[in-house]
Amino acid sequence: MSFDAATKMQFLYALRSKGVTDARVLTAMEQVDRADYVKGTFAERAYEDMPLPIACGQTISQPSVVGLMTQALQVSPRDKVLEVGTGSGYQAAILSKLARRVYTVDRYRRLVQTARAVFEANDITNITAFTADGSHGLDEQAPFDRILLTAAAEDPPGPLLAQLKPGGIMVLPVGQSDAVQSLIRVRRTDEGLEYDELRSVRFVPLLEGLGQE
Ligand code: SAH
């Protein structure tokens, strides 16, 4: 599936109109072709601002939400970032354009394998994808400058907070899975943890253990 320049311009315009204004984030989103991360019949809708189904009953998030979350994370070029919820790999690919190194985990092996193949096909070499229950974080690679959850937790998971460096930022949706959730940002400052609420969102729940596929 290939899209023309006008479709991509319109996509970037839609992102800006929904509040994604950070130039580095917009450039990263321009560099990553969302069609690579959406399979089959839905690929032709890759440049619409909506979530779409992927394998294992999961979804690739809405691009404007991806943009707003990435913007809220304030990633710098030297950062080591952890993403929980690889899904299609789209969000990780965007983070890879902004950070030094990205670790991403999903509880479905099948999603991780598919995402790895897309990273390789696109010559993205600074992402490491693992099959793991991300609610425990990734002890071997901790601590992280930035942590992003793309599945909703009832509360910020303790192990992930513990893996955040001083000065670090974590962005995540919190709330019950069947209700409207809040996107929140947690900063680790010298005084402790500082929270701010960004907007309402709707994500799949953060589940325990590994998936069957
Ligand atoms: N960031 C993805 C969208 C993620 S959808 C993208 O860009 O496409 C949320 C993902 O979180 C799903 O793939 C789901 O399997 C995963 N997930 C849910 N609970 C998890 C957990 N405890 N550990 C790791 N991944 C989890």
Side-chain angles (χ1 to χ4, degrees), residues 8-211:
K8 292 185 180 175
M9 283 291 282
Q10 218 164 33
F11 176 73
L12 291 170
Y13 181 79
L15 291 174
R16 268 192 220 101
S17 73
K18 293 195 173 158
V20 185
T21 52
D22 184 303
R24 288 185 68 233
V25 173
L26 286 166
T27 303
M29 292 187 79
E30 196 176 353
Q31 287 170 357
V32 177
D33 188 353
R34 190 167 181 253
D36 289 339
Y37 298 85
V38 185
K39 297 274 143 35
T41 53
F42 290 104
E44 62 197 52
R45 309 185 72 169
Y47 280 87
E48 293 175 30
D49 190 26
M50 53 165 62
L52 294 169
I54 56 171
C56 305
Q58 305 303 312
T59 50
I60 175 170
S61 312
Q62 186 176 349
S64 56
V65 173
V66 170
L68 291 169
M69 286 174 86
T70 309
Q71 190 165 281
L73 202 60
Q74 300 172 13
V75 183
S76 317
R78 298 171 62 108
D79 286 348
K80 180 166 72 166
V81 182
L82 172 65
E83 180 201 21
V84 176
T86 311
S88 66
Y90 178 63
Q91 171 75 73
I94 291 163
L95 292 170
S96 80
K97 306 291 178 197
L98 298 165
R100 176 172 56 85
R101 176 111 227 130
V102 177
Y103 294 92
T104 181
V105 299
D106 203 287
R107 55 192 293 280
Y108 286 106
R109 185 176 309 278
R110 179 168 162 207
L111 293 176
V112 169
Q113 283 172 342
T114 307
R116 273 189 195 136
V118 183
F119 301 150
E120 206 175 305
N122 283 291
D123 294 321
I124 300 175
T125 55
N126 62 339
I127 302 179
T128 311
F130 295 106
T131 307
D133 177 351
S135 50
H136 305 298
L138 201 58
D139 240 347
E140 319 83 86
Q141 306 299 338
F144 299 95
D145 300 288
R146 300 288 184 264
I147 299 178
L148 180 64
L149 273 80
T150 63
E154 287 189 23
D155 294 299
L160 288 169
L161 290 172
Q163 292 177 16
L164 195 58
K165 277 188 196 171
I169 298 177
M170 173 157 105
V171 170
L172 74 159
V174 290
Q176 305 286 339
S177 60
D178 53 355
V180 173
Q181 305 141 1
S182 294
L183 187 66
I184 65 163
R185 175 165 50 198
V186 187
R187 286 171 201 270
R188 180 176 292 290
T189 69
D190 293 339
E191 285 78 46
L193 297 170
E194 215 171 68
Y195 294 82
D196 62 303
E197 200 171 321
L198 306 173
R199 53 169 279 156
S200 57
V201 282
R202 194 152 193 172
F203 276 85
V204 300
L206 187 73
L207 297 175
E208 300 240 323
L210 296 185

